[in-house]
Amino acid sequence: AEYGSSGINAEYGSVVKPAIENVDTQVQTLRTTQAKLKDCIENLSGDLANIADMQKDLPNLEHYVKKLMSIKRRVTTVNSVLTNVQDRVLMLQTRVSKEQ
């Protein structure tokens, strides 16, 4: 079957657009989850620091607080990457929409 360029663009858009929207939805969900994880890590770090300050006879929790802060930095980095991915997905959505 022969397609004109508009037929190819429409077919391309009908295949690509749902995939892009799916990726966008998954990225948004992951970003939300990452933000919640970051908040939990911050809360836990604060709680551990408070416990360590109040209970001097407990085992040293500083090591665990440092580990949590390291994880928080990694979560922040992943969130930054996800933001860049989402920006690119939105750019692709705009291009596909313009071509249709």
Side-chain angles (χ1 to χ4, degrees):
E2 235 179 85
Y3 295 103
S5 72
S6 64
I8 291 173
N9 285 341
E11 188 174 322
Y12 173 75
S14 69
V15 172
V16 173
K17 189 173 182 178
I20 291 172
E21 289 172 349
N22 185 30
V23 169
D24 185 46
T25 300
Q26 290 177 357
V27 169
Q28 287 176 355
T29 301
L30 189 55
R31 286 184 68 196
T32 300
T33 303
Q34 290 285 318
K36 288 178 183 177
L37 177 60
K38 183 180 174 185
D39 290 343
C40 288
I41 290 169
E42 287 175 354
N43 290 336
L44 184 56
S45 295
D47 291 346
L48 286 174
N50 289 339
I51 290 170
D53 288 343
M54 293 182 338
Q55 302 292 328
K56 296 299 179 185
D57 55 339
L58 287 178
N60 189 358
L61 299 175
E62 186 176 332
H63 172 72
Y64 299 105
V65 171
K66 286 181 181 179
K67 277 188 169 184
L68 283 170
M69 296 311 291
S70 175
I71 293 169
K72 179 183 166 190
R73 280 191 297 277
R74 284 186 258 158
V75 167
T76 301
T77 300
V78 168
N79 205 21
S80 176
V81 170
L82 288 172
T83 299
N84 290 334
V85 168
Q86 189 170 30
D87 290 344
R88 290 178 184 168
V89 167
L90 291 173
M91 188 173 63
L92 280 172
Q93 276 182 319
T94 302
R95 286 183 181 173
V96 168
S97 294
K98 286 181 181 178
E99 290 181 9
Q100 288 184 338

